[in-house]
Amino acid sequence: MLRIRGALIAALVAAALPGCKIIKTPTAEEKAAAAAKDAFDPNAKVEAIWQSQAVPYFEKRAGELKDVVAAVAAGADQAGEKYGNPKKQASSPWTYAVKFTGKVVAADTQSRAATLDVDADGDGKADAKVQIGPALRGTALRDTLDFVNFNEFKNQIEWAQFGKAFNEKANTAFLSAIPRDGITGKTVTVVGAFPLPSGSDLPLVTPSELTVAP
């Protein structure tokens, strides 16, 4: 009886074996390749939307500097609804899309966080401070877009990297070509965004486009 039972168990085990699947343990190289494939690439994500979505969005959404500043003075929230991202995170400040043409009345080009003070109304005084990098402060470009959302990202780190990647794209796309010498007195045309200014500070504009007249 025991011999029959043993033979039956052996037969059942043998019948089950063809259905078993042996899973290969991935090598360290295979694990690294898979991780690299799945890794978040903020620069690639920005590159994919920059020319097709981001640049046209700012061109369409931007208001003239004097109009945006007046709207902000009248009510930051209402101005944000019109010129900013109405889907912004509740805890983040308003950012506003803006455009203007004006004369550079002062330039700080010795710092890595270089800026241009621009007179947009012809009174000889600066109306906006424009970042030309290479170090750009803030994430105004990311924050003004209404078609990107924090909830689409895995965590706060990815969201921050995504914001930084917009600044890096602006640098490589056009800011790195902006002359640092002899730019005071030149006329510039700017499209971009700025966060709600503090007190009497000038709007700090991060450009999505910037051209210098000959």
Side-chain angles (χ1 to χ4, degrees), residues 80-141:
E81 291 287 338
K82 185 173 183 179
Y83 300 112
N85 173 14
K87 302 175 186 177
K88 81 174 185 72
Q89 296 181 79
S91 60
S92 61
W94 280 108
T95 56
Y96 308 95
V98 69
K99 59 185 176 182
F100 54 94
T101 296
K103 181 177 288 188
V104 178
V105 294
D108 174 9
T109 58
Q110 300 305 308
S111 166
R112 281 183 51 80
T115 57
L116 306 176
D117 287 1
V118 181
D119 169 23
D121 60 10
D123 67 355
K125 299 177 182 178
D127 300 299
K129 191 175 289 289
V130 181
Q131 301 197 85
I132 59 172
L136 303 178
R137 289 173 286 182
T139 53
L141 294 180

Side-chain angles (χ1 to χ4, degrees), residues 108-192:
D108 174 9
T109 58
Q110 300 305 308
S111 166
R112 281 183 51 80
T115 57
L116 306 176
D117 287 1
V118 181
D119 169 23
D121 60 10
D123 67 355
K125 299 177 182 178
D127 300 299
K129 191 175 289 289
V130 181
Q131 301 197 85
I132 59 172
L136 303 178
R137 289 173 286 182
T139 53
L141 294 180
R142 179 202 68 187
D143 296 342
T144 310
L145 300 175
D146 68 358
F147 56 85
V148 298
N149 191 299
F150 171 75
N151 295 325
E152 299 171 6
F153 295 80
K154 187 181 298 184
N155 51 44
Q156 185 67 43
I157 294 174
E158 285 192 357
W159 180 240
Q161 291 174 335
F162 184 55
K164 183 179 178 182
F166 277 98
N167 295 347
E168 292 174 354
K169 177 59 182 177
N171 266 318
T172 58
F174 59 91
L175 289 179
S176 60
I178 301 299
R180 264 51 181 176
D181 295 327
I183 195 168
T184 301
K186 295 280 190 179
T187 297
V188 295
T189 297
V190 180
V191 180

